[in-house]
Amino acid sequence: MDRRTFVGLTASTLLAGTPDSIKANLFNAKTDERITVRFLGTGAADWDGRDERGELRRLTSILVDGHILIDFTPTDKDMLPADCHPEVIFYTHSHGDHYNPSAALKLGIKQVYLSQTWYDIAKDEFEKAAKELHLDLPVITPIYIGQQITIGDLTFTPLPGNHATDHLFEQALIYLIEKQRTRILYATDTSGLTATATRLIGIDVHQKGTPITALIMEATIGMGHDNDYRLFTHTSVAQIEQIVRVLTATKRYTPSIEQPVYLTHLARTLHGTQAELDAHLPAPLRAAYDGLEVVFQAD
């Protein structure tokens, strides 16, 4: 399976059978709007190596445009390209399947962004890990809901997720990632989308805003498990179907032609194999897999 998927108006017509050496030239006119996402890991917390089916999902993490991470654990390191040395990381929350100070330090991370609601905790943990490893402490910056952080030509906006952690007052984050007209909503871990998040993004049905052009969303809860107790802190496939229907009908989600909604953070115990998901997930939903690289671009 080709591990790079191009999405956009011309993806289905121009790229079929086109050599890799030519593909890049097809997008020259809009290169500055493209956002590349590499899924380093796509599994929820119940993954711990290869399972009895022979399936393997690392813990959920993505690499954006080859140099910025959202979440990272030791399980994800082998999915980084050999020549990749990211120095910036955004964290969604403090759970160990997303956050690991030692892994970030060993990778050479220089800049850390995370919610101000657990900044003091993270700072202490990074300081302790840096001392034990004899490594330099990165700059740790607290961020706030709705604050825009611009790095090069990318803008990251932290938004409130609906997810509980061990720290009672910690606010888990999801992120809007933007490059000009390309707007990706990356939502893990969360139960659905909060009203505040949709309002800040501009996709609330009661306001006129700018639609998102891509959606990557956690699907911890698989098909046929809609009564699972994790529903209050995670999202099911059925919920995502409904979210996509509403956002599409109200023109708050306007993807490129044939672009899927990518699912990540899949629980080992609540999903079938990748082959089964490929065969049975309803369109436009598609299960991401470790190492998948997707180039997103607005029409």
Side-chain angles (χ1 to χ4, degrees):
M1 181 182 296
D2 186 359
R3 289 188 176 271
R4 177 178 287 263
T5 300
F6 288 84
V7 291
L9 181 63
T10 57
S12 61
T13 54
L14 293 180
L15 294 178
T18 304
D20 289 340
S21 60
I22 298 176
K23 284 179 181 178
N25 294 328
L26 298 176
F27 290 99
N28 279 346
K30 295 184 178 180
T31 296
D32 56 352
E33 293 188 338
R34 293 166 55 189
I35 300 177
T36 301
V37 173
R38 182 179 179 89
F39 293 87
L40 304 180
T42 55
D46 60 354
W47 282 91
D48 184 18
R50 198 168 298 276
D51 70 6
E52 65 281 357
R53 303 168 298 183
E55 295 284 301
L56 174 62
R57 291 189 187 276
R58 295 154 185 82
L59 300 177
T60 296
S61 170
I62 62 170
L63 177 69
V64 182
D65 272 1
H67 66 107
I68 299 173
L69 291 166
I70 298 183
D71 295 336
F72 186 78
T73 69
T75 69
D76 306 310
K77 186 177 180 181
D78 68 331
M79 283 290 102
L80 286 169
D83 59 347
C84 179
H85 304 286
E87 295 187 345
V88 178
I89 188 167
F90 288 84
Y91 285 113
T92 57
H93 63 297
S94 64
H95 279 156
D97 59 322
H98 296 260
Y99 162 74
N100 187 297
S102 293
L105 290 167
K106 291 176 182 178
L107 194 62
I109 292 295
K110 307 300 184 187
Q111 175 69 64
V112 174
Y113 294 100
L114 47 77
S115 171
Q116 54 85 21
T117 58
W118 61 291
Y119 166 76
D120 290 337
I121 296 169
K123 186 172 182 292
D124 287 345
E125 292 175 341
F126 263 94
E127 287 176 347
K128 180 180 178 181
K131 184 177 180 180
E132 291 176 350
L133 295 169
H134 304 288
L135 293 171
D136 292 336
L137 187 70
V139 176
I140 304 172
T141 302
I143 56 178
Y144 297 79
I145 297 297
Q147 176 186 0
Q148 293 186 330
I149 300 99
T150 299
I151 302 174
D153 53 3
L154 288 165
T155 299
F156 292 77
T157 304
L159 305 158
N162 181 19
H163 187 68
T165 74
D166 295 333
H167 310 306
L168 183 59
F169 296 106
E170 178 186 342
Q171 174 61 66
L173 301 177
I174 61 178
Y175 287 95
L176 178 66
I177 309 168
E178 297 177 280
K179 186 187 289 184
Q180 296 195 36
R181 297 180 307 142
T182 303
R183 309 180 82 224
I184 303 172
L185 177 56
Y186 179 75
T188 182
D189 293 14
T190 182
S191 175
L193 300 177
T194 66
T196 300
T198 60
R199 179 63 58 91
L200 288 169
I201 298 166
I203 59 173
D204 185 296
V205 296
H206 298 296
Q207 67 180 140
K208 183 178 181 180
T210 304
I212 57 172
T213 57
L215 177 59
I216 301 170
M217 191 155 190
E218 76 126 277
T220 303
I221 305 168
M223 294 177 287
H225 296 280
D226 294 332
N227 295 325
D228 189 89
Y229 70 95
R230 282 160 279 204
L231 191 66
F232 298 106
T233 195
H234 287 292
T235 306
S236 70
V237 171
Q239 282 178 291
I240 297 171
E241 284 188 276
Q242 185 177 27
I243 288 168
V244 173
R245 281 198 302 270
V246 170
L247 293 180
T248 301
T250 56
K251 294 182 170 51
R252 267 60 178 181
Y253 171 53
T254 56
S256 298
I257 293 174
E258 298 184 6
Q259 176 181 292
V261 171
Y262 286 95
L263 308 186
T264 190
H265 202 269
L266 309 178
R268 178 184 63 81
T269 54
L270 299 176
H271 283 279
T273 64
Q274 181 71 39
E276 290 169 340
L277 290 167
D278 288 343
H280 299 298
L281 275 175
L285 309 189
R286 181 177 299 174
Y289 54 86
D290 299 1
L292 172 67
E293 193 165 283
V294 182
V295 180
F296 294 97
Q297 181 174 304
D299 279 339

